[in-house]
Amino acid sequence: MSSGELPQEKKTLFSTLVQKKQAETDAQKIQNRILQLKMEQEKVLKHIQQDEQRAEEIYRHRVEIQMKKENKMKQKQAQPPPFSLAVSHHQRELLKKIKDDELQRKKSEAKIFRDQLKQDFKGVQLQKSLEQEGYRIKAIQVKEEERQSTQLAVAKLKQKRERVRYEIENEKDRVEREKELYDLKIQELEQIEQLAMMELQNSLARQQKVQEKIQQAQKLSPSDYEKQYQSIQKASATQ
């Protein structure tokens, strides 16, 4: 056996170690992304809950306004025509002012909500960039440490060639087995990441529907609102 074979075997082990280290790094990256997706999922679910409550508040508020309006209409019918007309005009002006104030408040809340989403998204992107830079620096350090370790191992190989060759082969087989396990783990983590992404997308779709529900609560009369969402709830229950 020529002395040139040992460095080649060591190089094979080194490449296997690098591949194993890369698999570890990839698995950690996917786990971090899954954690980030779950955090985003929790935020969206919280916004959905808040929007659902807001839609219910708008609906109840409009029911109260309608009841007050009906009571005032009854009072108007019981009063003399000139006074009744004056009250009706006052009611229309008051309702118009209330509606304008409510619409303006909704626009302000929507703007604050959009700005918060943008800020959260920028924070997530910045965190990902910092993590990627940290992984890159760590990978360089690991490669440098492995290079130095390889040089020391080559010096020892010259003294105990046969024994080290056997140990290298065994070590390479062990690392390959570990790498295969990490590859399997990466596949599982990628599936988990896909499921987390789908859940987040579904939650975002639900959030959009709740936003539409808020708009309908502002736009429709209470009776039409009840009919529409009672039919939707019945359809969902049958499914």
Side-chain angles (χ1 to χ4, degrees), residues 91-106:
Q91 287 177 342
R92 287 197 299 270
E93 292 297 324
L94 180 60
L95 288 176
K96 183 177 182 300
K97 184 177 183 302
I98 293 174
K99 186 182 296 184
D100 291 341
D101 293 342
E102 184 70 15
L103 180 60
Q104 186 63 32
R105 187 172 65 82
K106 286 299 173 185

Side-chain angles (χ1 to χ4, degrees), residues 9 13 21 27 39 59 86 94 98 117 121 135 137 149 154 158 164 174 187-188 197 202 212 215 217-218 226:
E9 292 173 357
L13 174 60
K21 183 63 67 175
M39 292 172 62
Y59 162 71
L94 180 60
I98 293 174
L117 283 181
F121 179 76
Y135 294 145
I137 294 174
S149 299
V154 169
K158 293 179 180 179
V164 174
R174 184 186 67 80
Q187 293 178 1
E188 294 176 357
M197 183 66 73
N202 291 336
E212 294 175 358
Q215 295 177 358
Q218 296 173 340
E226 290 175 354

Side-chain angles (χ1 to χ4, degrees), residues 59-173:
Y59 162 71
R60 292 182 181 277
H61 179 68
R62 295 203 65 190
V63 169
E64 292 176 0
I65 291 176
Q66 181 176 349
M67 292 177 64
K68 290 179 181 179
K69 183 177 179 181
E70 291 175 354
N71 291 334
K72 289 182 178 180
M73 289 295 293
K74 291 178 181 179
Q75 294 175 1
K76 180 186 70 173
Q77 292 175 357
Q79 293 172 352
F83 179 75
S84 177
L85 290 175
V87 171
S88 176
H89 177 72
H90 176 71
Q91 287 177 342
R92 287 197 299 270
E93 292 297 324
L94 180 60
L95 288 176
K96 183 177 182 300
K97 184 177 183 302
I98 293 174
K99 186 182 296 184
D100 291 341
D101 293 342
E102 184 70 15
L103 180 60
Q104 186 63 32
R105 187 172 65 82
K106 286 299 173 185
K107 288 181 179 179
S108 299
E109 291 179 353
K111 184 178 183 301
I112 294 173
F113 178 72
R114 289 195 299 270
D115 293 341
Q116 184 63 39
L117 283 181
K118 290 180 180 178
Q119 184 177 359
D120 293 342
F121 179 76
K122 290 180 180 178
V124 170
Q125 292 298 107
L126 178 59
Q127 182 65 26
K128 287 182 178 179
S129 299
L130 293 175
E131 290 177 355
Q132 291 174 356
E133 181 64 18
Y135 294 145
R136 187 184 68 81
I137 294 174
K138 186 176 180 180
I140 293 175
Q141 293 175 347
V142 169
K143 289 182 180 180
E144 178 62 22
E145 292 173 358
E146 289 176 345
R147 185 185 66 81
Q148 296 176 359
S149 299
T150 301
Q151 291 177 349
L152 180 60
V154 169
K156 292 181 179 180
L157 280 173
K158 293 179 180 179
Q159 300 175 359
K160 302 177 181 180
R161 183 173 54 190
E162 291 300 328
R163 183 177 64 83
V164 174
R165 183 180 67 83
Y166 176 75
E167 291 177 355
I168 287 175
E169 290 298 328
N170 287 341
E171 179 68 8
K172 184 170 73 68
D173 292 339

Side-chain angles (χ1 to χ4, degrees), residues 210-227:
V210 174
Q211 291 291 327
E212 294 175 358
K213 187 176 180 181
I214 291 176
Q215 295 177 358
Q216 293 298 319
Q218 296 173 340
K219 177 180 176 182
L220 298 176
S221 66
S223 59
D224 291 339
Y225 178 84
E226 290 175 354
K227 291 178 182 179

Side-chain angles (χ1 to χ4, degrees), residues 186-203:
I186 287 174
Q187 293 178 1
E188 294 176 357
L189 289 173
E190 287 176 343
Q191 293 177 358
I192 294 174
E193 182 182 16
Q194 290 294 326
L195 291 175
M197 183 66 73
M198 292 174 61
E199 290 179 358
L200 178 59
Q201 292 174 349
N202 291 336
S203 297

